[in-house]
Amino acid sequence: MILRETLSRAGGLDGLFLSDLREKRDLAGIVFGETDASVSQELAGKRVLLAVGGQMAAARAMLALDGLVARLALVPPGLAPEHVARIAADSEAEIVVCDAEGLPEGDLPGLPRIDIEAAAKASAETGRETEWALATSGTTGAPKLVAHTLDGLAGGINTSAAPEPGTVWSTFYDIRRYGGLQVFLRAMLAPASLVLSDRHEPVRDYLIRAGERQVTHILGTPSHWRLALMSNALTKLAPRYVRLSGEIADQTVLDLLRAAFPEARMAHAYASTEGGVGFTVEDGREGFPASLIGARSGIEIAVRDDALYVRSGRTGRRYLGSAPEPLMAEDGFVDTGDLVERRGERFHFLGRRSGVINVGGAKVQPEEVEAVVNLHASVSMSRVRARPNPILGAVVEAEVVLRAGTDAADPAALKKAIIAHCRPRLSGHKVPASVRFVDDLPLTSGGKLVRRMP
């Protein structure tokens, strides 16, 4: 499978578009636009680092370079220069496709550059398989680089199904992240129109723009959606399909979205950069049915030591780098690092193994506490973190963003009420020892709550 070739064979591109904050381009014009044999020759078979500022530039480059270059390493926005340098080194990049916004002059001085406008005229005539390299989008530390095939990336997409008439996709994600790339591929392989977000654009403005472009299918993390639910511009959207992924989708956010979009299909999906797309749940309930454990349709899911494991053709091939750790076990399973607990006929996500808070020797999953805090009528979203304690080592602290219109005239009383709300619902060591009100909570460029302590 080669992206541009697949699109050129698909037909029916008339009226389809890609749009971002600045411009709208006809998809047919991108696919059948002018090509340059000399730039194609210069890039053919090379390991390429894609470091551009905007998503439109990234989309055009991905369509031009897939099937031409040997490896395409995607640099997500907002990375520190040292992390960009690490991605360049781990991907063994030989050349950089960039613009001034994505890679300032002077960065990565040892690598030759090709401007994005020239690279977008490249054409894949060789039909080679391009290896895609994606940065992990975790909430702590430097990203790792995961190698994928395009077939593996598209493994969770039903490419044989024709899109519903008038389908327009969009996502809060950046398409250089795994979740955003899934939406980009869904749109391109359908084919369908796609509205691209912008990391500098306020949520309200993005929602208005998505509404104006008549977006019908839209995806984001639960944190993205909590921010959207705080905005009065959410009414500008009338989607047919709403999807959450990347974080635990608790019942509160699912119920709020159902109330906001009663006619839309609602789904929350489990996927990761390493493990690929695992499954999608559309019953409106948090967690997932125990019946999904086992093998089905080319994917196998297992629970070992309370953690979720995935084996399929959708998983990454390997980590890249000078001394990479194994991405999967000898039996082909990927340890996702996500902890789950069975309650009756359903599994519930507890959080990341790496995020456990140790309270006097007892373990606390921040996400489990956040789900309870978020149930309080005055809470819009929350983040639970460890606060150092001289006796227990750490105690639980909850940072809370209040819902609009909440009466906070007596903040001390409101904090006590939130803690009292948690006591009957959580074990004693999990109940927040303190609550702190904040105006907002920081998100990573992948749309997840930042969990690393400053």
Side-chain angles (χ1 to χ4, degrees):
M1 180 192 302
I2 296 172
L3 274 178
R4 195 168 188 166
E5 182 180 301
T6 301
L7 272 167
S8 64
R9 291 199 311 262
L13 301 185
D14 291 345
L16 302 185
F17 63 86
L18 295 183
S19 73
D20 65 3
L21 186 59
R22 301 174 182 85
E23 60 179 327
K24 177 182 177 184
R25 288 178 177 253
D26 291 336
L27 185 55
I30 296 174
V31 173
F32 300 112
E34 177 187 358
T35 60
D36 185 331
S38 63
V39 75
S40 301
Q41 185 175 3
E42 187 175 359
L43 287 164
K46 295 292 178 60
R47 296 184 295 270
V48 173
L49 185 76
L50 178 59
V52 292
Q55 292 196 68
M56 180 68 79
R60 293 170 62 209
M62 288 190 278
L63 288 171
L65 300 180
D66 180 56
L68 175 69
V69 304
R71 177 181 293 157
L72 183 61
L74 308 183
V75 177
L79 290 188
E82 62 268 22
H83 291 168
V84 176
R86 174 174 170 173
I87 289 176
D90 286 352
S91 66
E92 302 174 291
E94 300 170 281
I95 195 165
V96 184
V97 170
C98 61
D99 55 21
E101 184 183 352
L103 193 71
E105 196 68 38
D107 286 8
L108 303 180
L111 287 176
R113 300 180 175 214
I114 291 183
D115 181 75
I116 176 58
E117 292 304 321
K121 295 179 181 178
S123 176
E125 298 175 355
T126 58
R128 65 169 46 85
E129 180 181 76
T130 295
E131 185 174 69
W132 291 62
L134 278 67
T136 56
S137 56
T139 56
T140 62
K144 298 176 184 177
L145 209 56
V146 182
H148 280 270
T149 65
L150 183 61
D151 284 344
L153 289 168
I157 301 171
N158 183 4
T159 56
S160 64
E164 301 173 33
T167 294
V168 180
W169 281 93
S170 191
T171 175
F172 291 86
Y173 277 120
D174 190 284
I175 60 172
R176 289 157 288 188
R177 295 286 190 187
Y178 184 87
L181 184 58
Q182 285 293 304
V183 176
F184 174 73
L185 294 177
R186 284 176 182 273
M188 295 302 97
L189 297 175
S193 296
L194 174 63
V195 175
L196 301 163
S197 58
D198 188 290
R199 70 189 183 101
H200 300 298
E201 185 178 22
V203 170
R204 181 180 185 278
D205 293 353
Y206 166 64
L207 294 173
I208 292 172
R209 185 164 60 87
E212 290 172 345
R213 293 294 186 199
Q214 298 183 312
V215 165
T216 60
H217 293 58
I218 184 166
L219 180 147
T221 67
S223 289
H224 283 140
W225 282 114
R226 288 188 180 98
L227 292 176
L229 286 160
M230 294 183 209
S231 173
N232 58 11
L234 192 65
T235 57
K236 302 294 183 181
L237 283 181
R240 301 199 296 254
Y241 181 70
V242 173
R243 186 177 174 112
L244 304 85
S245 66
E247 295 177 304
I248 297 172
D250 62 37
Q251 198 62 50
T252 302
V253 73
L254 291 172
D255 289 346
L256 288 170
L257 284 172
R258 169 56 61 214
F261 305 121
E263 302 301 321
R265 280 175 57 208
M266 197 77 59
H268 57 100
Y270 178 79
S272 68
T273 308
E274 291 94 337
V277 176
F279 51 80
T280 302
V281 179
E282 296 196 7
D283 61 10
R285 297 167 59 194
E286 63 184 356
F288 62 94
S291 58
L292 291 179
I293 300 299
R296 70 189 200 291
S297 304
I299 185 168
E300 188 170 357
I301 298 171
V303 176
R304 301 174 179 173
D305 297 324
D306 299 323
L308 203 65
Y309 285 71
V310 177
R311 179 169 65 185
S312 79
R314 308 172 191 175
T315 62
R317 285 177 163 181
R318 65 194 182 283
Y319 288 119
L320 299 177
S322 57
E325 62 187 85
L327 186 143
M328 62 186 70
E330 291 183 1
D331 61 3
F333 275 95
V334 173
D335 177 2
T336 68
D338 289 305
L339 301 179
V340 295
E341 177 182 73
R342 184 163 182 167
R343 304 171 194 164
E345 292 306 306
R346 204 167 184 88
F347 279 93
H348 291 255
F349 286 100
L350 299 178
R352 299 286 296 169
R353 186 190 292 119
S354 59
V356 171
I357 300 172
N358 191 319
V359 178
K363 295 179 180 179
V364 178
Q365 291 291 157
E367 294 91 340
E368 180 186 6
V369 181
E370 288 162 5
V372 172
V373 173
N374 292 342
L375 286 171
H376 192 278
S378 297
V379 175
S380 179
M381 62 190 302
S382 64
R383 176 174 65 173
V384 166
R385 309 175 80 181
R387 192 186 76 193
N389 180 275
I391 298 173
L392 298 174
V395 293
V396 174
E397 177 183 71
E399 296 171 298
V400 169
V401 178
L402 295 173
R403 288 193 182 180
T406 297
D407 182 3
D410 189 347
L414 185 52
K415 291 175 182 179
K416 288 180 180 178
I418 293 172
I419 293 172
H421 155 86
C422 293
R423 284 199 181 104
R425 296 172 172 86
L426 293 168
S427 301
H429 64 284
K430 299 178 182 180
V431 174
S434 62
V435 171
R436 187 161 64 91
F437 296 141
V438 295
D439 292 332
D440 53 46
L441 290 169
L443 302 186
T444 69
S445 59
K448 302 178 183 181
L449 280 175
V450 173
R451 297 194 180 277
R452 181 173 51 182
M453 294 292 287

